[in-house]
Amino acid sequence: MSERDTERSVSQTVRAQLALRDMILSGRLRPGERISELQAVDITGVSRTPVRLALVRLEDEGLLQAIPSGGFMVKAFTERDILDSIELRGTLEGLAARFAAERGVSARSLEPLKECLADLDQLVRQDPISVEAFSAYVTMNARFHAILNELSASAPLIREIDRVSALPFASPSAFVMAQSALPEAHQILLLGQDHHRIVVDAIENREGARAEAVMREHSRLAARNLRLAVRNRTHLELMPALALLKSSAE
Amino acid sequence: MSERDTERSVSQTVRAQLALRDMILSGRLRPGERISELQAVDITGVSRTPVRLALVRLEDEGLLQAIPSGGFMVKAFTERDILDSIELRGTLEGLAARFAAERGVSARSLEPLKECLADLDQLVRQDPISVEAFSAYVTMNARFHAILNELSASAPLIREIDRVSALPFASPSAFVMAQSALPEAHQILLLGQDHHRIVVDAIENREGARAEAVMREHSRLAARNLRLAVRNRTHLELMPALALLKSSAE
DNA sequence: TGCGTCGCTACTGTATACATCTTGCGTTCA
DNA sequence: TGAACGCAAGATGTATACAGTAGCGACGCA
């Protein structure tokens, strides 16, 4: 039904954007491959005008790269690019946390964040964590990060964080599912949750430097997950984002 | 001549983008004002297709805001938004400097930065600084920042810095010209140049934390300039970016 | 056999016509 | 007199036709 709704109500541009993004992330369009407008028309079934807009949007989303002579190609990323993007997100989220801490947040507006924290606590408490719980964790984790960013009350900053997190391998939840297959899974989850706890505490006590530092460190868990998961090589299918890696690592 | 070249060789899309950006920054399109495609067609003289692309590009450049029901309006910024954008740029440039310092930069690739530093030294040495020298300073300062960012050797980071600096009030040179009218002008220039000197030194000695901290502080000079210039209210014409401020400050 | 040039093909850039939707104003009814 | 409904105007969303250009291949000449 929601499928139907999507097909009917959403604009052709958005539909094309979703279809193309899916093709890229699933690896059916390989990094470096040129993607012509007509090809995109074939894929998406809409005409060139919305396809063109979709391509432009995917370009500034960072998934495509403009070719000087015209047209677009699928962007390729190195492992270093991915790690830098994660560090970048951590830096921005750190700034958001610092803003929240330094500028002060009312007890009332801190409430949703604390509720979210409690929900996450509930989830990580199970010892062998079920796949469903992992999935719920991903959702709730994204929510936690979103609320935290909002607390910065800085529109320009939130905009940039959203932008950076749109890269499939830079989002706070990018490698959580991959992590679920690791033996260290539970321990990493507990570490992450402790970071969450600390940042809430730091904001409450207006400790800007502490809030910033812990969010930076928090993002490095994603980097650690990435390295572990790539090394183990099993469950690469849990990380669709890796389809964008330059061939060497594939 | 370059005018001619622009008119001839550049695509209609780019031409429309430039014309519209100019209209916005010059204040002829006021913040909050809706800008219809047909209106934009009248302004730019090109047809709706390239106009549309130009509008989309200006949206993700941050100058326009999409209206939910379709179309775009000129984005309005608060003084707080501007200050946050400056802090944001400082944070990103700080990260770039830290990357450069921690990862190490060869003496050879540090050379252009040092040359740039020496050129800047030459410029700030004059005591009553001429307007021409100020103008030259703006150019050279932009060059210094560009080289510094490149030294991070991080494509994703450079991309974001460029993006943030594209906002007319967030670029490293945004308020330098405005500053030229202030009595404190020379002193501020010397402070900024000292920051430049320190960051080069820190990178050379692989002091990541120092390089990061000084670039953050460096960006706050822009915030200080902004505040001073707004308070003095003279020479607001040197800061076209302020056309985007929400009405209160105008 | 290699290099240069010519021509073709297929792509992107642009304009415009048509369809759909939203918004605002006017009219009518309670 | 106020509110709600309907219509009209103008906006955006979409499709497509046409023009211009770049890239590639083939052919010819040295």
Side-chain angles (χ1 to χ4, degrees):
Chain A
M1 186 160 69
S2 80
E3 175 82 6
R4 263 288 156 72
D5 285 356
T6 301
E7 278 188 22
R8 285 199 186 160
S9 64
V10 167
S11 73
Q12 303 286 69
T13 301
V14 172
R15 206 177 308 170
Q17 196 176 345
L18 292 174
L20 290 171
R21 187 195 285 137
D22 185 58
M23 288 284 288
I24 295 167
L25 295 183
S26 69
R28 274 170 293 175
L29 293 170
R30 306 189 73 81
E33 187 175 339
R34 180 173 188 157
I35 175 171
S36 85
E37 290 181 5
L38 286 136
Q39 184 187 354
V41 165
D42 283 344
I43 291 173
T44 64
V46 305
S47 79
R48 274 185 63 210
T49 307
V51 152
R52 190 142 228 259
L53 275 169
L55 290 173
V56 169
R57 290 234 148 89
L58 288 170
E59 181 202 1
D60 67 66
E61 195 173 306
L63 260 42
L64 295 180
Q65 189 169 15
I67 299 172
S69 65
F72 299 94
M73 53 186 272
V74 179
K75 202 157 169 179
F77 295 88
T78 63
E79 190 174 335
R80 171 71 159 274
D81 287 336
I82 295 182
L83 293 173
D84 281 2
S85 297
I86 292 171
E87 183 76 14
L88 179 56
R89 168 176 62 81
T91 302
L92 295 176
E93 289 188 329
L95 182 58
R98 178 161 72 81
F99 276 171
E102 291 179 349
R103 295 171 179 180
V105 165
S106 70
R108 181 177 183 75
S109 54
L110 203 59
E111 210 45 54
L113 193 67
K114 284 185 170 176
E115 282 171 20
C116 199
L117 186 71
D119 291 342
L120 284 168
D121 263 331
Q122 198 76 3
L123 286 169
V124 300
R125 201 162 289 151
Q126 317 174 18
D127 194 345
I129 299 186
S130 65
V131 174
E132 296 77 36
F134 247 106
S135 180
Y137 180 88
V138 168
T139 307
M140 197 56 73
N141 181 56
R143 184 172 149 74
F144 183 89
H145 282 257
I147 295 175
L148 184 59
N149 296 335
E150 289 290 338
L151 288 181
S152 73
S154 174
L157 178 55
I158 292 170
R159 183 178 148 95
E160 285 313 306
I161 293 178
D162 287 345
R163 183 179 154 76
V164 170
S165 301
L167 286 173
F169 44 74
S171 95
S173 315
F175 301 114
V176 173
M177 283 313 289
Q179 162 193 337
S180 73
L182 297 172
E184 304 90 333
H186 197 220
Q187 185 55 31
I188 295 177
L189 232 51
L190 289 174
L191 285 172
Q193 177 64 0
D194 200 54
H195 291 158
H196 292 160
R197 199 174 295 115
I198 292 173
V199 76
V200 172
D201 191 62
I203 290 173
E204 199 161 17
N205 295 307
R206 311 193 65 156
E207 301 166 304
R210 185 173 169 228
E212 175 160 30
V214 78
M215 285 310 291
R216 285 194 175 199
E217 198 57 42
H218 185 55
S219 76
R220 291 179 191 127
L221 278 182
R224 200 197 297 189
N225 280 340
L226 169 61
R227 287 212 190 82
L228 280 174
V230 167
R231 191 171 315 156
N232 284 30
R233 297 199 78 75
T234 49
H235 304 281
L236 286 178
E237 77 281 1
L238 291 174
M239 299 180 290
L242 295 191
L244 296 170
L245 261 184
K246 276 202 171 66
S247 53
S248 70
E250 226 292 304
Chain B
M1 186 160 68
S2 79
E3 176 83 6
R4 262 288 157 72
D5 284 357
T6 301
E7 280 188 19
R8 286 200 185 158
S9 65
V10 165
S11 73
Q12 303 286 70
T13 301
V14 172
R15 205 177 309 170
Q17 196 176 344
L18 291 174
L20 290 171
R21 187 194 285 137
D22 185 58
M23 288 284 288
I24 294 168
L25 294 183
S26 68
R28 274 170 293 176
L29 293 170
R30 305 189 73 81
E33 187 175 340
R34 180 172 188 157
I35 175 171
S36 84
E37 291 181 4
L38 275 84
Q39 183 187 355
V41 165
D42 283 345
I43 291 172
T44 63
V46 306
S47 79
R48 274 186 63 209
T49 307
V51 153
R52 190 143 229 259
L53 276 169
L55 290 172
V56 169
R57 292 234 148 90
L58 288 170
E59 181 203 0
D60 66 66
E61 194 174 306
L63 259 43
L64 296 180
Q65 189 169 16
I67 298 172
S69 65
F72 299 94
M73 53 185 273
V74 179
K75 202 158 170 178
F77 296 88
T78 63
E79 189 174 336
R80 172 69 160 275
D81 286 336
I82 296 182
L83 292 173
D84 281 2
S85 297
I86 292 171
E87 183 76 15
L88 179 56
R89 169 175 61 80
T91 302
L92 294 176
E93 289 188 329
L95 181 58
R98 178 161 72 82
F99 276 170
E102 290 178 349
R103 295 172 179 178
V105 165
S106 71
R108 180 178 184 74
S109 53
L110 203 59
E111 210 45 54
L113 193 67
K114 285 185 170 177
E115 281 171 21
C116 199
L117 186 70
D119 291 343
L120 284 167
D121 263 331
Q122 198 76 3
L123 286 169
V124 300
R125 200 161 292 152
Q126 318 174 18
D127 194 343
I129 299 186
S130 65
V131 174
E132 295 77 35
F134 247 106
S135 180
Y137 180 88
V138 168
T139 307
M140 197 56 75
N141 181 55
R143 185 172 148 73
F144 183 90
H145 282 258
I147 295 174
L148 184 59
N149 295 335
E150 288 290 337
L151 288 180
S152 72
S154 173
L157 177 55
I158 292 169
R159 183 178 148 92
E160 285 312 306
I161 294 178
D162 286 345
R163 183 180 155 74
V164 170
S165 301
L167 286 173
F169 45 75
S171 94
S173 316
F175 300 114
V176 173
M177 282 314 288
Q179 162 193 337
S180 72
L182 297 172
E184 304 89 336
H186 196 216
Q187 185 55 29
I188 295 179
L189 230 52
L190 289 174
L191 284 172
Q193 177 64 358
D194 200 55
H195 291 158
H196 292 160
R197 200 174 293 116
I198 291 173
V199 75
V200 172
D201 190 62
I203 289 173
E204 199 162 17
N205 294 309
R206 311 194 65 155
E207 301 165 304
R210 183 172 171 230
E212 175 160 30
V214 76
M215 285 311 290
R216 285 195 176 200
E217 198 55 44
H218 185 55
S219 75
R220 290 179 192 129
L221 277 183
R224 200 196 297 189
N225 281 340
L226 169 62
R227 287 212 190 83
L228 280 175
V230 167
R231 192 170 316 158
N232 283 31
R233 296 197 82 75
T234 48
H235 303 282
L236 287 177
E237 77 280 2
L238 290 175
M239 300 181 289
L242 295 191
L244 296 170
L245 259 184
K246 276 202 171 66
S247 52
S248 70
E250 227 292 304

